[in-house]
Amino acid sequence: FCWNLWGRKYTMWALLEIARVADALDLREAAARMMDQWIAQLRERNVRIENTGYFVGLPSMSVLKPLLLLYEATGRRRYLDYADEIVAAWEREGNPAPNLLSNALGDRPVHAWYPNPGRWAKAYEMMSCLEGLVAYAAVKDRPQVRDAVVRIVSKLEAAELNGVGSVGFFDHFTHASVFPNVTTEPCDVTHWIRVNRELYRATGEAHYLDTLEFAFYNAFLAGVYRDGRWGAHAVRSHGSRHRAAPHQVGMRFHQCCIDNMPRTFVDFAATAVDRTADGTLSVNLYSDATGSDGAEKVVITGGYPFGDTVTVKV
């Protein structure tokens, strides 16, 4: 299966998002049929999801987040049951890689969980799985699962935070914090921002907003061309230039880091102003912005982070 399931995950997720925005039940059903075929195919071949693809199943298991969105959209129990199977694969006896939940409880940093982290500790894909675990904790009311993600993110901050505000060294967790130089993928920044956004929404802890903001203004924006037409495959702290993103799989306008960049702009904007659980309007980020949540219009001015004063009008 290699990267096949990974690509199908994104197609299914896109169908779900379009269906939500456009209220298109046929597209939602198309996403459901894709997921049904996925589950049936693996079971017919007697293949467990953690044994598919590269990097000890992490790319395939990252389907957890859109799988839960599909469950919430349809109410079909079989999708939640499959989510249970995926999560159970992260706390197996004998501690086979990647056992995210079991290792979260220990004292070892992520890069020390198993030998040769360059072959299994893939940053982008693992953080995609962490985002799914935060959603799973909410759907199943299992705060201990959310707490495991909190512990993993703390481990990443301690041992993988790199010199440009992202985590990992060129898309792997290999104790990046000790490197005097750094190369980081925009894909990693995108998902470092996303997992911190999800933890902020789940816990209300402002620390995750600080981390998100620092990553956006540094590692992320450094990888986006000023005209917005393309970007970097690697943002570097040392050397003469960043590494431009190459075209992928014969497609002139496709590259995974470039594809992720619009998501980050949307995630940042969606985080700037929201409502807390008790209904309070919360201004979380201070870039110049104009927006509305349907009840109030919010205007933020001041030229942050270059200006010294921020004005918020509601």
Side-chain angles (χ1 to χ4, degrees), residues 1-8 53-55 58-60 122 125:
F1 292 97
C2 295
W3 293 103
N4 178 276
L5 295 179
W6 171 259
R8 286 155 66 182
Y54 295 110
F55 305 108
L58 288 173
S60 301
K122 191 74 157 55
E125 288 79 359

Side-chain angles (χ1 to χ4, degrees), residues 127 130-131 149 153 191-199:
M127 287 188 286
L130 297 182
E131 182 183 348
V149 179
V153 167
H191 284 272
W192 181 235
I193 286 172
R194 284 181 69 85
V195 72
N196 275 279
R197 178 172 185 261
E198 293 307 308
L199 284 180

Side-chain angles (χ1 to χ4, degrees), residues 162-166 168-171 181-189 215-225 231-239 241-245 257 261:
N162 60 42
V164 293
S166 183
F169 193 100
F170 203 32
D171 202 30
N181 64 328
V182 63
T183 296
T184 197
E185 269 199 1
C187 281
D188 301 343
V189 188
F216 179 83
Y217 284 123
N218 292 276
F220 177 73
L221 288 182
V224 182
Y225 285 15
H233 184 213
V235 172
R236 304 174 65 187
S237 62
H238 293 62
R241 67 190 69 178
H242 299 337
R243 184 182 302 171
C257 289
M261 286 172 178

